[in-house]
Amino acid sequence: MVALSRSELDYIEGGVKHDLRSDGRGRYHFRNLSIQVGIIPQANGSARVRLGGTDVIVSVKAELGSPRSGRPNYGSIEVMVECSATAGPEFEGRGGEDLNMELSRALQRCFVGGPSGAGAAIDLSTLGIVASKFCWELFVDCLVVNSDGNLLDALSIGAALSNTGIPSVKVTGNTASEDDADLEVGDNPDEFARLDASKVPLIITLTKIGRHYIVDATPEEEMGMSSAVSVAVNSKGLILGLTKRGDGGLDPSVVTDMISVAKHIARDLIVLVDTEIAAAELRAAENQ
């Protein structure tokens, strides 16, 4: 978008200072949120999230695969984000590729934690089937349809995986032997195991403008930021990830306060998202 003038940036900063943003919200208020689930019949789970003008689609596909070396009893999760070139001019060419990678890495860290699996939001051992031979691989594909600010938070809401079902499988053959074991995948769409998403976090991005910070920033507000901190918080209040953007430095005490604010905001947002998802699932069931 066109760069803002100094007076426009001062106007945004002044509004944040007085807790009255240009669209009428306070510093810690989100825009209107709407969620649809089950929008992609071929996926094992899918959702469309609209947060203000930001519009994202997330689908989850479960495929049979082989466990990775050194983790014979674990499955895997891969996250890929693609920003449509029509979502905004900044997504064309190399800029879009860099943003895709940045968003993908941030979401991936939230789901699988560190290299050892510590801090993972999904227990990858629940995706194991036969040690060293079969496991479930989850592919989380995210598409940014329209960008109107705060992309990472919107994507985290869509990637909550709450409506993802894993097909039932039956191990046949010699179950005591990895080489002789085989699988039968159930073909009844009503027989599946619901993926435990109770520890999946939502991401709360606090954008610092002047001496204050806000949530759910618009593109204009993001242009006036000095830095932003994205905090991944789950329903237990645990911090599963932390990402900083922007050139401005932050005092450790400010980061600590931002984390505290993010945890407080996350409690209310998680309740809202759970309510919206439950309502969306009910609507989807009624339309079947």
Side-chain angles (χ1 to χ4, degrees):
M1 58 185 298
V2 178
L4 299 181
S5 66
R6 184 67 259 173
S7 59
E8 289 172 315
L9 294 173
D10 289 342
Y11 174 77
I12 291 173
E13 184 175 334
V16 171
K17 178 180 178 181
H18 292 91
D19 198 19
L20 183 60
R21 295 154 71 177
S22 57
D23 57 9
R25 289 182 291 149
R27 295 188 196 118
Y28 302 149
H29 293 164
F30 282 79
R31 293 168 291 179
N32 290 335
L33 170 69
S34 69
I35 300 175
Q36 294 174 271
V37 298
I39 62 170
I40 303 177
Q42 299 84 358
N44 296 94
S46 60
R48 184 168 193 168
V49 174
R50 293 181 176 91
L51 185 59
T54 293
D55 187 355
V56 302
I57 296 175
V58 179
S59 70
V60 183
K61 187 67 175 176
E63 296 184 3
L64 288 172
S66 300
R68 296 177 181 177
S69 176
R71 310 198 76 189
N73 298 303
Y74 290 77
S76 64
I77 298 177
E78 295 291 338
V79 181
M80 182 65 67
V81 177
E82 181 180 354
C83 297
S84 171
T86 61
E90 66 271 30
F91 300 138
E92 297 179 359
R94 182 66 182 177
E97 295 176 5
D98 292 342
L99 183 58
N100 291 343
M101 186 175 298
E102 177 185 339
L103 293 171
S104 299
R105 287 175 175 172
L107 289 175
Q108 182 83 14
R109 284 196 297 267
C110 292
F111 284 116
V112 301
S116 66
I122 299 291
D123 183 359
L124 298 183
S125 67
T126 62
L127 300 178
I129 303 174
V130 177
S132 301
K133 187 169 185 181
F134 294 119
C135 70
W136 286 110
E137 297 177 333
L138 298 185
F139 296 92
V140 184
D141 293 310
C142 311
L143 174 65
V144 177
V145 180
N146 188 63
S147 173
D148 190 32
N150 202 24
L151 281 179
L152 190 55
D153 295 22
L155 288 167
S156 76
I157 294 172
L161 302 175
S162 64
N163 75 321
T164 298
I166 306 298
S168 61
V169 293
K170 179 181 179 182
V171 181
T172 61
N174 184 0
T175 58
S177 170
E178 298 173 6
D179 295 331
D180 295 334
D182 206 351
L183 290 183
E184 290 182 3
V185 181
D187 55 5
N188 186 343
D190 295 325
E191 294 182 359
F192 60 86
R194 186 67 69 109
L195 186 69
D196 181 9
S198 60
K199 295 182 180 179
V200 172
L202 294 183
I203 295 177
I204 308 294
T205 298
L206 290 165
T207 302
K208 191 170 186 292
I209 299 177
R211 295 185 177 183
H212 303 275
Y213 28 87
I214 60 175
V215 299
D216 192 20
T218 64
E220 294 81 8
E221 290 169 335
E222 289 177 342
M223 292 181 69
M225 76 175 192
S226 58
S227 59
V229 173
S230 297
V231 186
V233 188
N234 70 10
S235 60
K236 308 297 184 183
L238 299 177
I239 306 298
L240 298 187
L242 191 70
T243 303
K244 178 188 175 296
R245 293 184 291 114
D247 299 327
L250 290 172
D251 187 90
S253 63
V254 174
V255 176
T256 301
D257 186 54
M258 294 174 94
I259 292 174
S260 177
V261 170
K263 291 176 67 174
H264 177 74
I265 293 172
R267 286 199 296 266
D268 293 334
L269 183 61
I270 288 171
V271 172
L272 174 61
V273 169
D274 287 345
T275 302
E276 288 290 328
I277 289 177
E281 289 179 338
L282 181 60
R283 291 194 299 270
E286 291 175 346
N287 292 332
Q288 286 182 349

